[in-house]
Amino acid sequence: MRYMVRTSVVRVIGRIWQPGHTAGQDITLTSSDVDNARDDNGKITRESVGLWLDSHAGDFAEIIDFEASVEDGDATIDIPWADEESEMTYNDCMCPAED
């Protein structure tokens, strides 16, 4: 028997509460989070996920950019980084180079 687990994830970069520090974080969404991240028409959009992050990403004073992969029923909604450089910044934050 085989099971498939579908997980909604948002990858975020932003400024944390300590001034001047940029950090990255993975946020795994629950089904309730996905429902709350919908717009007024019930759709998952970049704007609606951004609004959800504004009130649910408490580790950040400011969200710089994010990408998301959201499972919505049988569909997967992929929201890419707004800026190409953001993915590199995220990777640098999550896997810093060893000195």
Side-chain angles (χ1 to χ4, degrees):
M1 185 172 279
R2 185 181 225 185
Y3 293 96
M4 182 184 304
V5 177
R6 297 174 65 196
T7 305
S8 297
V9 177
V10 180
R11 291 169 191 85
V12 181
I13 57 170
R15 291 188 192 11
I16 58 175
W17 291 102
Q18 293 180 343
H21 293 283
T22 300
Q25 182 179 17
D26 290 345
I27 301 172
T28 302
L29 281 65
T30 65
S31 58
S32 177
D33 292 335
V34 172
D35 288 339
N36 290 324
R38 295 179 189 283
D39 66 10
D40 293 338
N41 297 321
K43 296 187 184 217
I44 301 290
T45 65
R46 178 171 191 76
E47 183 180 348
S48 68
V49 173
L51 289 171
W52 181 86
L53 279 172
D54 286 343
S55 61
H56 290 83
D59 293 339
F60 294 96
E62 174 190 4
I63 302 293
I64 296 171
D65 199 359
F66 68 91
E67 77 164 348
S69 179
V70 180
E71 298 300 323
D72 186 19
D74 291 336
T76 300
I77 299 162
D78 291 318
I79 301 170
W81 296 102
D83 183 351
E84 287 180 14
E85 299 294 319
S86 295
E87 184 174 9
M88 288 185 275
T89 302
Y90 170 82
N91 289 334
D92 288 343
C93 290
M94 299 302 281
C95 303
E98 294 182 24
D99 292 331

